[in-house]
Amino acid sequence: DAKTTQPNSMESNEEEPVHLPCNHSTISGTDYIHWYRQLPSQGPEYVIHGLTSNVNNRMASLAIAEDRKSSTLILHRATLRDAAVYYCILRNNSGNTPLVFGKGTRLSVIA
Amino acid sequence: GAVVSQHPSRVICKSGTSVKIECRSLDFQATTMFWYRQFPKQSLMLMATSNEGSKATYEQGVEKDKFLINHASLTLSTLTVTSAHPEDSSFYICSAREQGAGNSPLHFGNGTRLTVT
């Protein structure tokens, strides 16, 4: 899987939007961009994924650059429960492949 | 939504004993499940890919005779840590994807924290 680069940590105030960046300059045409998050002492949780177009769901939005070499996960209104490690992962469309986790971004939310 | 149940959530065992961890997909069938472990302050590391009805595929550096994986049905995979030692203490996490679901997300269990004394 192609490599992704994320900041080690970020901080946000509660009820403000958060933009979590991810660089993936070696992305291939068949790689989907997946975001997962891991709350303390829990397994990872799916957040969102996309290929080329921006995506929205009840948890977040995913903005994908036109050249697909970077993407941004947007939490529209951070809450204390959003404090977690966020992982940006590329996964190709070949079916039963595992996710390969990098170090992710540790998001702290301040009340 | 799809749920993966992992049991036990926490286990303490003595050095030299074996521990079995179960991973079940509750409302979908999974021909493939993945096992990860996570040491404190580190990311998840893939240990092995568990395939229903066949042998598991282990990542480099993971001892297949120490970490026995059995995927006997489409909803159950087990990981047995044999002759556990304190260095095996870790957070073990399984994941699964619904059979035939294309590029759908992986679903993760809530992990098993193993402490070997």
Side-chain angles (χ1 to χ4, degrees):
Chain A
D1 291 317
K3 187 178 168 59
T4 62
T5 305
Q6 298 178 253
N8 289 334
S9 62
M10 289 185 67
E11 203 171 79
S12 171
N13 293 319
E14 197 178 10
E15 298 189 5
E16 290 191 358
V18 183
H19 290 231
L20 296 162
C22 180
N23 287 321
H24 29 79
S25 58
T26 59
I27 191 171
S28 75
T30 56
D31 284 335
Y32 282 75
I33 302 159
H34 286 249
W35 284 82
Y36 285 74
R37 71 180 185 181
Q38 186 178 24
L39 279 65
S41 299
Q42 294 188 27
E45 172 188 30
Y46 167 77
V47 178
I48 200 165
H49 77 288
L51 183 63
T52 55
S53 303
N54 295 343
V55 185
N56 299 297
N57 67 19
R58 64 174 179 80
M59 287 181 72
S61 296
L62 176 60
I64 301 173
E66 202 168 323
D67 63 4
R68 299 210 325 126
K69 293 186 177 182
S70 66
S71 61
T72 302
L73 178 71
I74 302 165
L75 306 180
H76 295 286
R77 210 162 150 258
T79 69
L80 296 177
R81 289 167 56 181
D82 292 321
V85 179
Y86 287 78
Y87 297 97
C88 168
I89 304 169
L90 301 183
R91 186 162 181 245
N92 64 39
N93 192 27
S94 61
N96 289 323
T97 54
L99 292 173
V100 178
F101 287 80
K103 294 183 179 179
T105 296
R106 182 174 297 277
L107 174 67
S108 302
V109 180
I110 302 167
Chain B
V3 176
V4 172
S5 173
Q6 200 171 329
H7 179 80
S9 58
R10 188 180 293 268
V11 58
I12 301 171
C13 72
K14 291 188 177 180
S15 190
T17 61
S18 296
V19 173
K20 181 186 282 189
I21 302 169
E22 291 188 350
C23 179
R24 293 181 185 273
S25 55
L26 294 186
D27 52 359
F28 65 97
Q29 294 185 330
T31 51
T32 304
M33 292 185 178
F34 305 101
W35 287 95
Y36 295 83
R37 67 179 163 186
Q38 185 175 33
F39 293 106
K41 307 269 187 212
Q42 294 188 24
S43 187
L44 284 79
M45 290 171 43
L46 180 67
M47 297 177 67
T49 300
S50 166
N51 299 299
E52 187 265 337
S54 65
K55 291 184 179 179
T57 305
Y58 290 81
E59 295 299 300
Q60 192 172 10
V62 178
E63 299 174 56
K64 62 177 170 50
D65 294 330
K66 179 168 182 65
F67 298 100
L68 299 179
I69 291 173
N70 186 295
H71 194 152
S73 77
L74 287 172
T75 58
L76 174 63
S77 175
T78 61
L79 168 68
T80 301
V81 183
T82 62
S83 187
H85 289 284
E87 57 263 32
D88 298 323
S89 299
S90 189
F91 192 48
Y92 292 85
I93 306 167
C94 70
S95 73
R97 190 176 64 85
E98 190 169 355
Q99 183 182 15
N103 202 272
S104 63
L106 286 180
H107 305 285
F108 287 82
N110 265 335
T112 296
R113 188 162 302 284
L114 170 63
T115 303
V116 185
T117 61

